[in-house]
Amino acid sequence: MLINFESRWTRIAPTASIPPREGRAVTVAGAELAIFNLGERFVTISNQCPHQGGPLCDGIVSGAVVVCPLHGWRFDLNTGLAVRASLPACVETYPTRVEDGIILVDVAAARRIEPNEAVA
Amino acid sequence: MKQLVVVGNGMAGVACVEQILKHHPDFEITIFGDETHVNYNRILLSSVLAGEKSPEEIVLNSEDWYRDNGIRARLGVRIERIDRARRLAIDSTGAETPYGKLILATGSTAFVPPIPGAGKKNVHVFRTLDDTRELIAKSRSGLKAVVIGGGLLGLEAARGLQLRGCHVSVVHLMDTLMERQLDRPAGELLRRKIEDLGIRVLLPRQTQALLGNGRVDGVKFASGEEIEADLVVIAAGIKPNAWLARESGLEVRRGILVNDYLETSDPDIFAVGECTEHRGQTFGLVAPLMEQGKVLAATITGRRGPVFTGAAPAAKLKIMGVEIFSAGAVDASEPGVEVVRYEDPSLGIYKKLLVKDNRLHGVILVGDTSDDRRYTQWLREETDLAPHRRHLLFPPPAADSGLEVAEMPGSFVVCGCNGVNKDDIVHAIHEHGINTLAELKDRTRASSSCGSCSGLCEQLLRAVAPEFEEETRTTLCACLPFSYEQLREIVRGQQLKSVQEVLNVYGNRKGCEVCKPALSYMLDMLWCGRHDEDRSARFINDRVHANIQKDGTFSVVPRMRGGVTSPAELRRIADVAEKYNVPMVKVTGSQRIDLLGVKKSDLPRVWADLGMPSGQAYTKGVRMVKTCVGTEFCRFGVQDSTRAGIELEHRLENLFTPHKVKMGVVGCPRNCAEATVKDIGMVGQDGSWQVVVGGAAGKSVRKADLLITVETTAEALDACELFFQYYRENANYLERTYDFVERLGIEAIRKATVYSTDAEKRKLLERLRKSKAIAKDAWLERDTPANPTQFVQIEPLETTCS
């Protein structure tokens, strides 16, 4: 295993390790992430469903939305925001890119869009 | 009483008569129709061709309607001549019908360009129900069909033929499709969408001749190029059917000339519909014709006043997944016209508005036609767009679901097909106590034609009706707007072999957690393994063959046929539980043992160490056969239930079903293994077995119905299999046997299974055997995983120092 001191980007795995429209869990720098293969691109969110901690990596992918396998909460993979949830909720998203067939995630750049409670 | 004769039994004529009836006129009405059918919805012929609707489903006015309203319908009788001096309509039999007033509603006919060979066999037009029936009779899987004409009707015909299994090419004279309704980018996007459906599009092609000796076998273009064709459909447009008016000496140009009151040059003769020409315009779409009907109804019943002032052209393509709408002007180069445009190539969405003097002048929508009504309203009412300028392309977000309804003015036309506005609907809801969409359709006809306003009607009902009841949903989900039955037909007929393929062609491409597992099941059941299995379309339990628990761990239940185990098996189970620190070992209600709290990554090794097959406790499939000890040990047993149960489990294990299937076999009517509350049960009696189905002891409790009583164990097992396969093929996904049996009725199920012909029974069992032959123990994936990371967590290639 290599230890990366310079870049903020962490090399995760070859793209082939995640089949299309599926997700996989990975732990990077103490954070448990779920990476999804959306066909034309890869996206990363935190793996824990804010509802009851369900593993989002195991959810069914519907376009750019993942459905938690435990109770069906839905999260937009682009923004991390819960879709049509009974309560406003969100998960972190992480910048993700592919280079030379390897998926890279920028763990330090976690982004969290707080759901606007006034709207919900 | 005055004699009113209506020549033409199509949508415009009959709709006009409906309007006339509202005025309670003093008329004796006779309708002549040269088609032999009652009035049907011509707009939906493409749905009939596509197999989405039956001819009966598109009937607008049944025979009862004619009878109840005292209307004489002369169907299959054509008026050949009008003797205006003697006021007689003379029909093909020579009979003379006197009239006081006469309405010409002769519609239009298909325009067939003068192409050599157009008279050959298997060259058709697509205009009437009879045309449609002929096309359905001729089309079959693998046939090469060529549609000449890339307009609305041609494209719908092409899709219909394709859904019947034909290889379809559309050829069009111009270099964009629907060029009269769309601009070039929209036409280009449409071409792409049509090609994505698997239809070949040839542009621009001028058809020079149809080839073949008697029967068509090819199409030749002006360029010299030739393509093969077993079937040709000419959809090059329509022309007003005005010969009768012309022969009778009325003023006719392209169509029968009418003024704003729908009067012709003869004061006692009127015309309505596609046969008319009004202010230089002819018509081919239904909405303006309904408007005409209302005006004419007023004129002819002595309430002359309302006028028809023409209508902006509007067209909507009815191909599932290819949303196209166009209304008003298309030409953006007119002076003073501003263009407002939105385009998202990857979503396939294109919206373009032409605005002139702050009024909507034209609109083109591709890929998202959800706002078509708003634009139609703006066009019709020449709405000042100043207050809407910021929301021209997308309506402002509505926070409350009733807002859209609240914002609609009372005159807002909800149903364009039948000309029903918001006030009509609200009024009808209160007057008749309407609470369902079906009642609303029945009373107001709103949403009874093309159905595209049904969502709006439901919103209105929700907002207004005191006790609104949602219709029981028959479609799978919003991603895929078809019923299970339709989908089974589509998947079978179209030879669709993967979930993504079905979603791409018939759905929204995305799918969801509802439709994806349902489609996965359907493909597995229909194709018996000859399909592309897509793990991403299945619930996590079916990706890793274990049942996910609240903490993300899994439970493992090995198969223990008939609930019979051995000391060696029990030892292995105990060893596994210790080796993997299984937090809980539990005896289940199914006479099996559950290991709870197993980590995903341990699953393959747990299965290997157990050395037992999957019990399918995690899936919609064959769970268990619970048994009692029967004749082997029990002093009351009269049948060998243990052996029969184990045999039943062997025969059905590893198969998937619409919902879980739990079974039980008992050796005497004391029913110790509770067979009468199982999906399938066998109850032993002295010298016979009772096979029972549809029992439940879960969320609902239901005693199973008796399917049949048979003498031998072999016959009982066969009966179980017949029911099992029939359920697999005909139940909706996630429909338990107890709902299935109640929905169909046990009599119908007996008829379709144990009482059906030997040939039918054999076919059912053959399909079951086919599926069984490829069904395997899912836990063997411990050695050959579906993908390298099926069970393992990904380890990053490097760690970061943060």
Side-chain angles (χ1 to χ4, degrees), chain B residues 66-84:
Chain B
Y66 294 87
R67 200 177 39 242
D68 295 349
N69 288 296
I71 292 168
R72 233 160 39 113
R74 307 289 317 278
L75 303 185
V77 182
R78 187 182 168 109
I79 296 296
E80 297 284 358
R81 209 156 57 79
I82 299 169
D83 185 337
R84 288 166 55 202

Side-chain angles (χ1 to χ4, degrees), chain B residues 154-267:
Chain B
L155 294 175
E156 289 181 3
R159 179 57 166 166
L161 289 170
Q162 190 205 17
L163 289 176
R164 297 209 164 257
C166 299
H167 299 295
V168 185
S169 308
V170 173
V171 304
H172 192 48
L173 188 62
M174 314 304 283
D175 56 4
T176 45
L177 293 172
M178 289 180 67
E179 79 286 347
R180 282 165 59 189
Q181 290 91 10
L182 303 181
D183 63 355
R184 188 169 290 273
E188 192 49 34
L189 198 51
L190 170 61
R191 182 183 59 79
R192 235 177 58 202
K193 284 172 186 266
I194 294 291
E195 285 176 342
D196 281 349
L197 296 176
I199 294 171
R200 181 161 68 146
V201 179
L202 300 171
L203 309 170
R205 293 289 193 290
Q206 188 183 353
T207 306
Q208 195 175 51
L210 302 182
L211 310 173
N213 183 10
R215 178 192 305 251
V216 75
D217 64 14
V219 178
K220 185 177 180 184
F221 301 117
S223 59
E225 178 193 5
E226 289 178 14
I227 59 170
E228 286 178 69
D230 306 311
L231 184 66
V232 170
V233 177
I234 298 180
I238 54 171
K239 54 173 190 210
N241 185 5
W243 63 268
L244 179 61
R246 193 175 285 120
E247 299 275 291
S248 310
L250 297 175
E251 273 182 49
V252 172
R253 242 172 273 160
R254 274 184 300 156
I256 305 167
L257 291 186
V258 291
N259 61 14
D260 291 357
Y261 302 98
L262 284 309
E263 295 159 335
T264 68
S265 53
D266 179 323

Side-chain angles (χ1 to χ4, degrees), chain B residues 47-114:
Chain B
S47 306
V48 174
L49 182 60
E52 291 157 8
K53 285 203 155 63
S54 69
E56 293 71 41
E57 280 175 288
I58 67 163
V59 167
L60 285 174
N61 300 79
S62 65
E63 282 166 28
D64 292 347
W65 176 84
Y66 294 87
R67 200 177 39 242
D68 295 349
N69 288 296
I71 292 168
R72 233 160 39 113
R74 307 289 317 278
L75 303 185
V77 182
R78 187 182 168 109
I79 296 296
E80 297 284 358
R81 209 156 57 79
I82 299 169
D83 185 337
R84 288 166 55 202
R86 294 165 57 216
R87 295 186 178 200
L88 294 173
I90 299 145
D91 65 40
S92 41
T93 66
E96 300 178 336
T97 308
Y99 68 82
K101 307 234 180 243
L102 184 136
I103 296 176
L104 289 168
T106 46
S108 60
T109 47
F111 167 65
V112 178

